[in-house]
Every structure is written in structure tokens, then in C-alpha cells.
């Protein structure tokens, strides 16, 4: 017996239940060179969405790769954008709550999923999943998730030097930079700490601790504020 035939005259929303209704749906085309994404999230208001959500990752042939769950899938909308519940809304890559990159420098793309604001000074935090070629699936990395949830927003990826760079601050005038090397089959190795102390008016005190030949070397230098360039 085909049970669906017995209910074919019922409205579609009765058959589907709450799976598609009561949530906001977004599509991110070309989220990366390999993937597209469909996002579902509970709440959207005043240009911001948040709450429990899911990310469905698809390859460019429209085959679902994997589904990820977030307790607080935060995303920000552009001014004037008004998604409606139950209707697919195109989302620009720069507004997406997912970041796709090769975080462990193994040649395959990994994915970071926004999960609230647990970072430094309540900045964005992310759950990070790395692609496991043995399982042929993305597997959550505790080490990278901790890194992406402890500093100021997600870490920066320096593919040329194969380093992850995290930033943080204390108060108005103390900025921290921490660099990690990624060691294959071992994990993260902290190799540099930099503090830019601007708590005293008129000067910047820079303390750099660098791991060289497995030993930490510390250098301290003080600059007049007007001569200091953070970009160098």
C-alpha cells in the first residue's frame, strides 16, 4: 500500500511538518572552489540571523556532501535584505556564516561553521572541521575549534608560510598576535607571540617571543607612537 496516496489531498505543509517551514533558508553559490552551501537558521530580525541552524554542503554537481549543526548560526545581512520564512534566499559569500579554506595545509579544503560569539571580547567563534581522507568526511577538530573560539574572530591562514595567525586584545591598548605552525599528524605548535603595548601615551612597546631551534627568544623594542607602523 502506498501510504502517501492516502494523504495526497492534504496540504504540503502537513506532510512536511516543520522541516521546511518556520526556518529561514539561504543558498551560498560558489562558497568555495569545490562547494556550494544551503543554510537553515531559526531566527532573523533587524538584519541579523541567529539561533540553532544547519549547513548542508554540496559539491558543484549538486550532490550533498555533509550536514553540519550549529547551536548559534549567526549571520549578518546587508541593509534592505529581508528573507522570508520557508523561501530560499541567495546569500553573498562575504555574509556567509561558513569559511572554507585549507586550515591544516594538507591540500584539501576544510570548513569553519559560525557558532555564536564566544571569542575575545564576544567576537565571532567557529566550529572547525577538517577533511579526513580516510573517512572521506569532515571531522571536527577540537584544537582548531578552540583556536577559532578563543581569539578575536577566526584565525588568519598564511598558506605561504603554513601558519595560522590569531589576534586578540586586552583593554583598549594592548594587542596580541600569536602564530602557530601546523605539524602533520601532530597538530599545532605555537612559534611566535607578539605584544603591542600602547598603554603609555606617546610610545609603543613591542615584545616578540619567537621559537627558534626549539628555544624561545625574546626581543623588546620601544617606538615613538608617531613612528610605529603596525603593518610592518
Amino acid at each position: 500500500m502506498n501510504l502517501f496516496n492516502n494523504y495526497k489531498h492534504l496540504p504540503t505543509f502537513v506532510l512536511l511538518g516543520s522541516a521546511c517551514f518556520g526556518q529561514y533558508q539561504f543558498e551560498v553559490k560558489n562558497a568555495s572552489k569545490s562547494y556550494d552551501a544551503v543554510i537553515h537558521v531559526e531566527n532573523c530580525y533587524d538584519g541579523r540571523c541567529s539561533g540553532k541552524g544547519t549547513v548542508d554542503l554540496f559539491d558543484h554537481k549538486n550532490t550533498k556532501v555533509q550536514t553540519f549543526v550549529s547551536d548559534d548560526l549567526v549571520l549578518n545581512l546587508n541593509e534592505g535584505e529581508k528573507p522570508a520564512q520557508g523561501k530560499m534566499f541567495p546569500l553573498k559569500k562575504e555574509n556567509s556564516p561558513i569559511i572554507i579554506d585549507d586550515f591544516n595545509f594538507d591540500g584539501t579544503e576544510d570548513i569553519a561553521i559560525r557558532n555564536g560569539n564566544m571569542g575575545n571580547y564576544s567576537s565571532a567563534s567557529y566550529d572547525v572541521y577538517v577533511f579526513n581522507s580516510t573517512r572521506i568526511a569532515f571531522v571536527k577538530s577540537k584544537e582548531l575549534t578552540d583556536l577559532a573560539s578563543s581569539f578575536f574572530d577566526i584565525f588568519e591562514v598564511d598558506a605561504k608560510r603554513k601558519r595560522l595567525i590569531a589576534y586578540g586584545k586586552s583593554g583598549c591598548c594592548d594587542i596580541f598576535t600569536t602564530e602557530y605552525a601546523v605539524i602533520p599528524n601532530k597538530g599545532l605548535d605555537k612559534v611566535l607571540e607578539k605584544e603591542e603595548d600602547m598603554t603609555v601615551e606617546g610610545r609603543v612597546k613591542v615584545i616578540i617571543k619567537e621559537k627558534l631551534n626549539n628555544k624561545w627568544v625574546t626581543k623588546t623594542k620601544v617606538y615613538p607612537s608617531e613612528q610605529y607602523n603596525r603593518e610592518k
Side-chain angles (χ1 to χ4, degrees), residues 52-107:
K52 291 186 180 298
T54 60
V55 174
D56 293 324
L57 199 65
F58 294 83
D59 64 23
H60 291 323
K61 295 180 180 179
N62 205 33
T63 300
K64 184 185 284 190
V65 175
Q66 194 166 329
T67 297
F68 305 88
V69 177
S70 172
D71 288 331
D72 192 8
L73 192 60
V74 178
L75 64 92
N76 295 305
L77 302 172
N78 293 327
E79 186 176 355
E81 291 184 333
K82 295 181 179 180
Q85 288 183 331
K87 293 185 178 180
M88 190 68 73
F89 189 89
L91 189 66
K92 293 182 179 179
K93 185 177 177 180
E94 56 265 29
N95 296 117
S96 172
I98 67 175
I99 298 172
I100 300 176
D101 205 336
D102 182 6
F103 299 134
N104 57 359
F105 310 113
D106 66 351

Side-chain angles (χ1 to χ4, degrees), residues 20 45 47 64 92 100-101 113 128 138 145 151 177 185-186 201 203 215:
C20 295
Y45 50 88
K64 184 185 284 190
K92 293 182 179 179
I100 300 176
D101 205 336
I113 308 288
V128 181
F138 292 91
T145 295
F151 288 86
T177 303
N185 302 316
K186 289 186 178 181
E201 187 176 356
R203 64 97 167 135
K215 293 182 179 180

Side-chain angles (χ1 to χ4, degrees), residues 139-203:
V139 178
K140 189 173 182 178
S141 166
K142 182 182 184 305
E143 196 171 31
L144 291 178
T145 295
D146 288 345
L147 185 62
S149 303
S150 304
F151 288 86
F152 198 84
D153 214 316
I154 195 166
F155 46 78
E156 178 183 319
V157 178
D158 186 336
K160 186 175 181 179
R161 296 192 302 143
K162 294 188 177 181
R163 289 192 180 184
L164 303 179
I165 306 170
Y167 301 95
K169 68 174 185 175
S170 177
C172 69
C173 311
D174 216 354
I175 300 172
F176 299 91
T177 303
T178 309
E179 295 191 6
Y180 296 85
V182 180
I183 310 301
N185 302 316
K186 289 186 178 181
L188 300 179
D189 181 25
K190 183 161 62 176
V191 293
L192 184 140
E193 292 180 335
K194 179 180 179 181
E195 178 184 359
E196 296 163 281
D197 180 356
M198 294 169 273
T199 54
V200 176
E201 187 176 356
R203 64 97 167 135

